[in-house]
Amino acid sequence: MQVFSMIELIRAKRDGKELTPEEIQFFVSSVVNSKVDDAQIGAFLMAAFLNGLSSEETYILTKSMTNSGTTFDWPIHWTGTVVDKHSTGGMGDKTSLVLAPALAACGLRVPMISGRGLDLTGGTLDKLVSIPGFSVNLHRKEMELLVESVGCCIVGQTDDIVPADKILYRIRDATATVNNENLIVASVISKKAAESLDALVLDIKVGDGAFMKDIKTGESLAHKLVVYTLFLYLHKNLEREKFMNSIKYFFTIL
């Protein structure tokens, strides 16, 4: 991989320039391999937050985050049954806790990679770790065993499952760079792409208790989530038209 100066990447993004795919891949690799400190990651995120990311930058960032760790390859006889739902986050959101086991009870497989709280919201993982002895830090083999035996699991990002998102997620929360559509897209879709899904439902939270404050901004985020999901082809064996019918979204007013 070509080596770049992290300071130059930050300066370029600060000045509103578009980064090349190689520069973004270098940034993500540096994050995962501890070649860049939190201050520089925060500076990069703030520059991206203020000046935005182009469509190409968002796509490469999402793809690089997905490939920063392992991705799943499910048994062939599970084809058509591996599904998930992701919420964009909001106060009091507990949908995943009910939905994952309900889908598993219907014979589906739900390898849910979730997140902790951001900004004003409490995350699904925060609720689960409040249960004594409950662990959300599972490795790939442990996830596969759970999905095979009980049909679902809810876990967080780890050092081998979307590790780039684990780091960027934490620093976005600490640097007030949460509420940015392209950074949200990269975070959400990198996790879902790593799961190698057959179908995905997106729960777009809007209102005073969510990051998106109204339907208009919610629709903008929903559109981007669907578009970049299609770009990445969550399940590469599916035809484009078939997978387009496997992505749905709805709005929850908080």
Side-chain angles (χ1 to χ4, degrees):
M1 177 179 291
Q2 188 175 352
V3 177
F4 298 92
S5 164
M6 193 61 215
I7 294 174
E8 290 302 319
L9 296 190
I10 294 170
R11 181 179 290 114
K13 201 70 246 173
R14 181 201 66 188
D15 294 342
K17 297 179 180 178
E18 182 170 350
L19 301 182
T20 66
E22 292 76 18
E23 288 172 327
I24 295 174
Q25 290 164 358
F26 173 79
F27 167 70
V28 173
S29 176
S30 298
V31 168
V32 173
N33 292 300
S34 302
K35 298 292 181 64
V36 56
D37 61 38
D38 284 4
Q40 290 180 311
I41 298 172
F44 181 92
L45 290 171
M46 184 59 73
F49 183 94
L50 294 175
N51 293 318
L53 295 169
S54 69
S55 297
E56 177 71 6
E57 287 177 312
T58 304
Y59 168 69
I60 297 300
L61 177 61
T62 307
K63 185 176 181 180
S64 299
M65 289 169 63
T66 299
N67 294 330
S68 66
T70 187
T71 58
F72 290 88
D73 185 16
W74 305 109
I76 189 66
H77 62 276
W78 288 10
T79 299
T81 68
V82 183
V83 303
D84 198 4
K85 159 265 175 192
H86 193 89
S87 168
T88 55
M91 295 179 66
D93 178 20
K94 295 177 282 292
T95 307
S96 296
L97 302 178
V98 177
L99 186 61
L103 291 172
C106 294
L108 299 175
R109 311 283 180 170
V110 188
M112 187 178 293
I113 303 174
S114 190
R116 293 184 179 272
L118 286 174
D119 200 6
L120 75 159
T121 69
T124 298
L125 299 184
D126 296 306
K127 300 177 180 70
L128 289 174
V129 297
S130 69
I131 303 171
F134 196 105
S135 175
V136 297
N137 299 314
L138 304 182
H139 295 292
R140 172 177 175 160
K141 293 298 182 183
E142 293 172 306
M143 275 189 70
E144 291 173 339
L145 180 61
L146 276 176
V147 174
E148 181 177 9
S149 59
V150 300
C152 70
C153 65
I154 303 179
V155 305
Q157 315 95 317
T158 67
D159 291 340
D160 63 343
I161 303 172
V162 280
D165 185 57
K166 179 183 179 181
I167 298 167
L168 296 179
Y169 199 93
R170 171 179 58 83
I171 297 178
R172 283 171 58 216
D173 190 40
T175 56
T177 53
V178 171
N179 192 18
N180 176 275
E181 286 187 3
N182 292 334
L183 293 178
I184 292 173
V185 165
S187 177
V188 171
I189 301 305
S190 64
K191 289 190 282 285
K192 301 303 106 175
E195 295 172 9
S196 300
L197 301 173
D198 294 309
L200 173 65
V201 171
L202 298 164
D203 178 12
I204 312 299
K205 305 293 187 184
V206 297
D208 293 337
F211 301 126
M212 304 295 111
K213 299 304 180 184
D214 52 53
I215 291 291
K216 183 177 180 180
T217 54
E219 286 179 336
S220 175
L221 176 60
H223 174 74
K224 287 187 176 182
L225 287 168
V226 171
V227 166
Y228 287 104
T229 300
L230 290 174
F231 278 169
L232 287 173
Y233 285 77
L234 294 192
H235 198 304
K236 296 178 181 178
N237 292 328
L238 287 178
E239 297 176 0
R240 179 182 177 87
E241 292 76 12
K242 183 177 180 181
F243 194 67
M244 285 181 68
N245 292 326
S246 301
I247 310 173
K248 305 295 180 184
Y249 66 84
F250 63 92
F251 296 101
T252 303
I253 310 297
L254 299 178

